[in-house]
Structure formats: C-alpha cells, structure tokens
Amino acid sequence: MHRIDGRGERPQRVLIVLHQENSTPGRVGQSLVRRGFTLDIRRPRFGDPLPTTMAEHAGAVIFGGPMSANDTDAFVHREIDWTGVPLSEGAPFLGICLGAQMLVRHIGGKVEPHTESCAEIGYYPIRPTEAGKALFSWPKKVYQWHREGFDLPREATLLAEGDLFPNQAFRVGAAAYGIQFHPELTLAMMHRWTVKGAERMKLPCAQNRNDHFAGRAVYDAPLRAWLEKFLDLWIGRADAPAPATAKAPASAKASAE
C-alpha cells in the first residue's frame, strides 16, 4: 500500500477514468481531494492515453458508463487490458460498475445480463460475506444502475452479495476492488441520471424515479459513511497512506461454480 515514486515520495495523484464527456467522479472524487490527492482525469473513449505504470499515481478508479464490458469498441478492450497494470504492481485499484466488470473480464470472469432481463436501477439490498464483515460495516441498501452482472473466478474474494445479481463487491489480491453499486452518486447526479436515463426505469425490476429520491433520503447517509471507511482502507490520505496491515482475511474465496 505504501507506494513510492522515483523521487522517494508517495505519489499524490489518483487516476480517474471516465466514459462520457460530462461525467464526473462525484463523491469519490470529492473525498479524494479532501484527503489531499489531486485527480488525473482521463477519458480513453475520447483518445486519452492510460499510463504504462502506476509509479506516478497513488491509485486508480475506473467508473461506470452506458456501455458494456462485452462491447467490441477498442477503448473497452484497452481498459480491460490496462487493469493488469495496477494488478501486476499491487497498486490500489477500484472498479465501479462498468469498471468492476472490466476487472472481472481481465481476470477471466464473465459479464452477462440477468437471466430474466431484470435490471437493478434504484436502491437494492446487499449483504456482506464473512470476508466483507471483517472489513467494516456495510449499508443495508445501495444505489444501483446496471442490467448486467458478473461471475467471479476463484482468485477473487466475494465481499458482498445481492438478490437479483449475486456478486456485488469483491477483492482481487490486496489492493484491487470491484463494486457493482454507485457510492459516488451526488444528488445532482441522481437528478441527471433519472432524467437522461428515464427509459431505463421502465426495465423489469427497475424502480421508478420517485422511489430513487425516497430511497436516497433513507439510505444515502449509510452509503456515504461506507465510502469513507472504504477509502480509509483502500488508499488512506495523501499524507497518511492506508496501513499495509489493513487487509482483509484470505478466507471466503468465491466463484460462480
């Protein structure tokens, strides 16, 4: 976890990978800035390159987007391949929704739609596994916006489960995490998503717009608290890295088999 750059100092930048022109890192980005990091925002979809090493970055986050990890676009394949960089270097990596699915594809898992075409769009329950409970407390419901899920190869440790999509959070190695849900969502983002993505709320199992805002009033504070605990474990602060001993137990290995 204690990464040192070529000058003998810890890198202060966190790589942020976004997928739309107007996307923002939301609450994740805001918290990282409060922790003393600077954000290196890149959009490979629009031609931005990705670094060949994590030597100049304290960590990396790949966010979600409307595309699928199964798409044939060149930038999708580049990002899937690129997740091997932080994995091979043991650098902190976080994949959110699409980013988690890209990580799954990189380690050999499958990303597929629900067998009954259900979508999780709104607030849905999750349950931590024993490995997840060992890290910190988890919210009862989290905000979702997806219609594909994933299985997990044996090298991944399942941290949280759901009903419609069983695999909700996982860890690979000591520092790479994937989550299906969206802790980065701000109120402004919820307004934007539920307007621009109104058709998605008509999908099977999706919740209507009123339920999104009603759910936020109840479940957003615990999700916000979870995010801070996660970032404490995952990356710490720019002047106080997450302790190398803050690692989840190696038990509770999970796969879809």
Side-chain angles (χ1 to χ4, degrees):
M1 294 275 186
H2 296 263
R3 299 182 55 73
I4 304 298
D5 64 15
R7 297 166 295 181
E9 300 175 353
R10 189 189 189 209
Q12 302 293 294
R13 296 191 299 167
V14 175
L15 182 69
I16 301 292
V17 179
L18 301 174
H19 296 104
Q20 300 191 84
E21 288 180 299
N22 298 318
S23 295
T24 73
R27 207 153 51 190
V28 169
Q30 293 167 3
S31 184
L32 288 171
V33 170
R34 287 196 302 269
R35 291 164 180 267
F37 297 104
T38 58
L39 307 182
D40 180 6
I41 296 178
R42 306 198 191 189
R43 294 176 169 84
R45 180 185 180 189
F46 301 106
D48 291 344
L50 292 171
T52 57
T53 175
M54 290 293 293
E56 296 184 358
H57 293 85
V61 187
I62 296 183
F63 285 80
M67 58 287 300
S68 168
N70 294 319
D71 287 350
T72 58
D73 302 79
F75 80 90
V76 172
H77 288 285
R78 282 199 303 272
E79 289 186 38
I80 291 171
D81 291 343
W82 182 84
T83 59
V85 173
L87 280 179
S88 64
E89 297 182 14
F93 172 83
L94 171 61
I96 297 176
C97 198
L98 174 63
Q101 294 169 1
M102 288 178 166
L103 176 58
V104 166
R105 287 288 312 274
H106 182 83
I107 62 175
K110 295 180 180 179
V111 174
E112 297 177 318
H114 190 272
T115 54
E116 297 179 8
S117 301
C118 275
E120 283 187 323
I121 296 177
Y123 283 93
Y124 295 81
I126 60 169
R127 299 174 301 277
T129 63
E130 290 304 313
K133 291 176 183 177
L135 298 177
F136 33 61
S137 60
W138 292 68
K140 292 182 179 180
K141 289 190 178 183
V142 293
Y143 193 72
Q144 308 270 18
W145 195 285
H146 66 96
R147 52 182 175 179
E148 288 186 312
F150 48 80
D151 64 6
L152 288 178
R154 291 186 181 278
E155 62 265 37
T157 300
L158 184 64
L159 302 177
E161 302 171 300
D163 295 329
L164 290 177
F165 292 86
N167 299 323
Q168 290 289 337
F170 64 95
R171 189 186 74 249
V172 181
Y177 292 81
I179 57 175
Q180 184 70 84
F181 50 94
H182 290 277
E184 81 277 19
L185 193 85
T186 64
L187 181 58
M189 291 168 68
M190 178 176 281
H191 278 282
R192 188 166 63 249
W193 289 15
T194 55
V195 170
K196 292 187 175 181
E199 289 298 314
R200 295 288 183 99
M201 289 178 281
K202 299 177 182 178
L203 293 171
C205 307
Q207 297 172 7
N208 64 52
R209 191 170 191 260
N210 289 339
D211 288 338
H212 288 227
F213 289 93
R216 183 178 180 87
V218 178
Y219 302 113
D220 184 62
L223 182 54
R224 185 169 64 247
W226 176 90
L227 174 62
E228 294 303 320
K229 293 173 186 175
F230 172 79
L231 292 176
D232 286 343
L233 171 73
W234 178 66
I235 202 166
R237 301 181 58 86
D239 59 356
T245 55
K247 298 176 183 177
S251 60
K253 295 288 183 179
S255 75
E257 297 180 3

